Amino acid sequence: MQYIYSFLISFVLFIGLDWVWIGNITRKFYSEVLAPIGKMKDGLLTVNIAPALVVYVLLSFAFAYFIYPAIETKGLLIGVVSAFILGVCIYGVYEFTNYSTLAFWPKSLLIVDTLWGGVLSAIVAFMYYWIMRLFS
């Protein structure tokens, strides 16, 4: 049952934090760097909801499978560091694949988004830990 809680909590956190990051804090940055290839509406990047939800399902599955056990067996610090590494790896694979195969993929996006993957995952791990302690 804990794996299901881990999946659901991380799913909500990934969506919420990514919405704050991409939809608010860095909206202009993403819209500008992806304008030549992105789906734009009124000068802003738009998102197809269904494929985006698949991304969050996959991220949450990875979190539940790899990070939840690390937090539970090795503690918060190892869990957060492991989440950062996993996030950098997941986002990095996406970013570097795009950079190596597309005619245009900005270096600034490659760096910012790869690091964001690590930071996002670490924040989710930290928040997950405290949410579970609050309700247990």
Side-chain angles (χ1 to χ4, degrees), residues 14 18 55 58-60 62-63 66-67 78-96 110-125:
F14 276 121
D18 233 9
V55 169
L58 293 171
L59 286 171
S60 300
F63 181 90
F66 295 110
I67 304 307
I78 296 298
V80 168
V81 170
S82 298
F84 179 84
I85 292 168
L86 182 63
V88 165
C89 289
I90 291 170
Y91 277 61
V93 166
Y94 171 79
E95 294 297 327
F96 279 89
L110 181 144
I111 294 165
V112 168
D113 214 35
T114 299
L115 290 174
W116 170 243
V119 170
L120 171 63
S121 298
I123 293 170
V124 167

Side-chain angles (χ1 to χ4, degrees), residues 40-93:
M40 307 300 289
K41 182 177 181 182
D42 299 325
L44 296 173
L45 189 64
T46 62
V47 175
N48 288 334
I49 300 299
L53 288 175
V54 172
V55 169
Y56 295 116
V57 165
L58 293 171
L59 286 171
S60 300
F61 177 77
F63 181 90
Y65 191 81
F66 295 110
I67 304 307
Y68 157 70
I71 290 172
E72 293 304 315
T73 61
K74 300 195 184 321
L76 178 60
L77 180 60
I78 296 298
V80 168
V81 170
S82 298
F84 179 84
I85 292 168
L86 182 63
V88 165
C89 289
I90 291 170
Y91 277 61
V93 166

